[in-house]
Amino acid sequence: MSTEAITQEQFLREFTKELHNDNAAAFVGAGFSMSAGYVDWKGLLKDIVTDLGLDPDKEHDLVSVAQYSVNQAGGNKAALTRTIVNNIGIAKKPQLGHEILATLPIHTFWTTNYDKLIEKSLEDAKKVPDVKYTVKQLATTRPERDAIVYKMHGDVDHADKAIICKDDYEKYPFEMGQFASLLRGDLIEKTFLFVGFSFTDPNIDFILSRVRAVLDKDQREHYCIQKKVTRRPREKRADFEYRQLKQDYFIRDLKRLNILTVEVDDYPDIPALLEKVAMRYRRSSVFVSGAASDFAPWKPNDVGAFLQSLAKSLAASGNRIISGFGVGVGGAIINGVLDHLSEDGIGVSEEHLMMRPFPHTPSGRPASASRWTKYRKSMIDHAGIAIFVFGNKKDASGRTVASNGMREEFDLCVASGVVPIPVGATGYMAETLWKEVDGRFDHFFPNATASIRRSFTAIGKPSTTPGNLEENILRIINHLQKD
């Protein structure tokens, strides 16, 4: 790893905070589209360079090369337009990296790409994108939009208007200056993640330098994911070390703009790192599954005190609590979160507490089973960790039986990759689920230490005190959130 780069752990910790604070934005470059089968700028202009009698391996100022092509054609951009359409006009499917970004709480996307991968990935994630690639579009707002996609260099459907050569860049401040102003504002107000971006674009360099000039040392931190320099086959050590040194200087120069770099070993590791971001974000949301008509051998007051204290501790640690307001359990969970928010003077919002009381029919009876399943899944989709407590109900004859609803919630969690923490010490369905997880402990907790193994054993013992149950549950969650 470059001595100038930050660690992945630092990036995960800090960028996840920005996601929770709804401050994150993404800037997507051409490199991010290559996994879908598109070309980068060098690939896009390869034939143009060759037609000019130049060497594609030696040309790096591609904006100038694009201008040479226009000059050769007497000011006509038809060849460039054709190149864009031929290389990018064929629709491709969004890849894993696009899909992950689309599921995160990122509401502002910027790109210099002409393709439609960002908006398509948002649509696949059931979100409404508001796409802007002309100045006129800035004045209108798409109803019920979930994210804005600023395509500051144009769209493949209007390739003749694409920003690609020197003429376009020189006119940009006058014809597209509103985009530059909006990006400058977003760079001041939001924390950006740059992916697939080389920072060689003249527009971006100009805008970043203006932000730095205005804010100097008060710039907001941004993040950039880059592939670290690795030695090529048969490459001389001196040549490899030279490229390493250049990358170090480049990463240090990005720091001047307060853009911190996190490195990956290879390009396929970028989606893997984004998956860690998504997992870290989701694991800060804890779903509490529980319902009880009978608390024996627990005393009702002890149950309320235990659950309220647990919820308060979880909220105080920065977790969002998700509750279906289960009978005998939901009230204590919600009170615990409200206790924390009240003590810290924080207003109640879904960023701290997501309450989803189960739907009933107008007659007061439960809704259909299929509707409850969809409802459960809609809650679980927001979580990364699930705690299961008690889990019983009264059947038609008045007997206490294990909760089949908790069973379903457990299965939905496992199917969605949500890590289950059944508190077996509370008995009933939670005890059954604890035994299942205990039997497959290494599957659910592959990186667990001996200490975490002991904690999981402790929450399955009826003899464990409420205080120790809470302590061990929090220890397990803390491990999962740093895993």
Side-chain angles (χ1 to χ4, degrees):
M1 185 180 85
S2 168
T3 55
E4 299 294 335
I6 63 173
T7 64
Q8 289 194 6
E9 174 56 33
Q10 181 181 345
F11 164 67
L12 290 169
R13 182 182 67 246
E14 298 304 324
F15 192 66
T16 302
K17 288 181 183 177
E18 298 303 319
L19 289 170
H20 278 289
N21 291 331
D22 213 20
N23 289 332
F27 202 116
V28 180
F32 207 57
S33 295
M34 292 178 70
S35 62
Y38 288 124
V39 294
D40 60 5
W41 254 59
K42 197 164 189 174
L44 179 67
L45 295 177
K46 182 179 179 180
D47 289 342
I48 294 290
V49 175
T50 303
D51 290 344
L52 289 168
L54 301 174
D55 186 343
D57 293 329
K58 294 181 179 179
E59 296 303 323
H60 303 290
D61 184 359
L62 298 176
V63 173
S64 292
V65 171
Q67 185 62 46
Y68 299 158
S69 175
V70 175
N71 295 344
Q72 284 290 95
N76 194 308
K77 285 180 63 176
L80 293 177
T81 299
R82 186 167 58 251
T83 295
I84 293 172
V85 172
N86 289 344
N87 284 278
I88 301 175
I90 300 173
K92 307 281 187 181
K93 291 183 179 180
Q95 299 300 293
L96 179 59
H98 296 92
E99 293 168 357
I100 295 169
L101 287 179
T103 61
L104 291 172
I106 296 176
H107 309 296
T108 303
F109 290 83
W110 283 87
T111 185
T112 50
N113 299 347
Y114 312 124
D115 63 64
K116 298 179 178 293
L117 291 174
I118 298 174
E119 51 264 50
K120 182 64 170 65
S121 63
L122 288 165
E123 290 168 353
D124 290 347
K126 309 302 181 187
K127 293 183 178 181
V128 177
D130 189 359
V131 183
K132 315 285 191 185
Y133 52 86
T134 69
V135 170
K136 288 182 178 180
Q137 290 170 331
L138 298 177
T140 59
T141 300
R142 184 174 179 179
E144 299 182 358
R145 70 183 182 190
D146 297 299
I148 309 176
V149 182
Y150 293 106
K151 305 180 77 168
M152 62 182 297
H153 285 176
D155 181 88
V156 66
D157 287 347
H158 300 273
D160 59 313
K161 304 294 184 183
I163 308 300
I164 191 169
C165 62
K166 270 191 173 182
D167 282 344
D168 301 323
Y169 280 93
E170 289 169 357
K171 295 175 184 175
Y172 200 89
F174 309 102
E175 297 182 355
M176 302 283 285
Q178 290 90 333
F179 277 88
S181 297
L182 286 168
L183 177 57
R184 189 160 54 244
D186 280 347
L187 286 164
I188 293 171
E189 296 180 358
K190 304 178 189 298
T191 296
F192 272 71
L193 173 61
F194 292 88
V195 287
F197 200 75
S198 63
F199 293 96
T200 57
D201 187 281
N203 270 341
I204 308 306
D205 185 58
F206 176 81
I207 293 166
L208 288 170
S209 65
R210 296 289 77 76
V211 172
R212 181 178 182 273
V214 171
L215 298 181
D216 194 19
K217 295 182 180 180
D218 296 318
Q219 301 170 84
R220 195 182 194 95
E221 285 185 343
H222 306 289
Y223 300 94
C224 167
I225 303 176
Q226 285 191 32
K227 177 189 176 299
K228 69 180 180 182
V229 169
T230 53
R231 193 170 180 179
R232 297 164 180 162
R234 296 183 297 278
E235 182 180 25
K236 293 180 180 179
R237 176 174 291 278
D239 292 338
F240 167 58
E241 291 176 348
Y242 181 82
R243 291 193 302 112
Q244 274 188 317
L245 183 61
K246 281 195 69 175
Q247 186 175 52
D248 281 347
Y249 285 136
F250 177 68
I251 293 173
R252 186 182 302 168
D253 193 54
L254 287 180
K255 285 183 178 178
R256 184 173 59 90
L257 302 168
N258 222 18
I259 298 174
L260 305 181
T261 300
V262 57
E263 289 184 318
V264 294
D265 291 329
D266 205 351
Y267 293 114
D269 295 328
I270 295 177
L273 181 57
L274 293 176
E275 279 191 305
K276 290 182 180 179
V277 171
M279 180 185 71
R280 185 72 67 95
Y281 174 76
R282 288 187 66 192
R283 286 189 179 178
S284 297
S285 293
V286 181
F287 172 57
V288 182
S289 172
S293 296
D294 187 350
F295 297 110
W298 287 61
K299 295 179 181 178
N301 288 343
D302 291 341
V303 171
F306 162 61
L307 294 175
Q308 190 163 334
S309 177
L310 174 62
K312 183 177 180 180
S313 296
L314 287 170
S317 299
N319 295 290
R320 173 172 63 171
I321 308 303
I322 304 170
S323 171
F325 212 88
V327 174
V329 169
I333 294 295
I334 291 168
N335 285 338
V337 178
L338 294 179
D339 281 350
H340 160 67
L341 297 178
S342 176
E343 289 179 7
D344 278 27
I346 302 172
V348 181
S349 74
E350 285 213 339
E351 191 58 43
H352 307 99
L353 177 62
M354 182 181 287
M355 295 180 287
R356 293 290 188 272
F358 279 92
H360 287 71
T361 63
S363 65
R365 295 181 179 181
S368 68
S370 62
R371 186 178 175 192
W372 275 37
T373 297
K374 290 180 181 178
Y375 200 78
R376 288 187 168 103
K377 190 175 186 309
S378 70
M379 285 190 291
I380 291 166
D381 281 345
H382 292 281
I385 296 172
I387 298 172
F388 298 86
V389 291
F390 298 99
N392 66 66
K393 63 180 183 179
K394 299 291 186 181
D395 67 9
S397 63
R399 293 181 305 163
T400 300
V401 296
S403 170
N404 58 340
M406 180 180 283
R407 168 85 256 179
E408 182 179 43
E409 287 169 3
F410 175 85
D411 292 339
L412 288 170
C413 283
V414 172
S416 298
V418 178
V419 183
I421 305 177
V423 186
T426 59
Y428 307 101
M429 181 56 76
E431 180 180 3
T432 299
L433 300 177
W434 180 89
K435 291 177 180 177
E436 287 187 26
V437 175
D438 185 60
R440 301 175 61 201
F441 183 81
D442 291 340
H443 170 76
F444 290 106
F445 303 92
N447 301 316
T449 62
S451 173
I452 296 303
R453 187 69 179 91
R454 289 193 295 271
S455 289
F456 189 80
T457 299
I459 66 172
K461 293 180 177 179
S463 59
T464 305
T465 65
N468 283 335
L469 282 177
E470 178 180 331
E471 179 183 337
N472 283 292
I473 292 168
L474 294 174
R475 185 178 296 122
I476 294 169
I477 289 175
N478 185 58
H479 161 75
L480 289 171
Q481 291 173 339
K482 292 184 176 179
D483 188 7

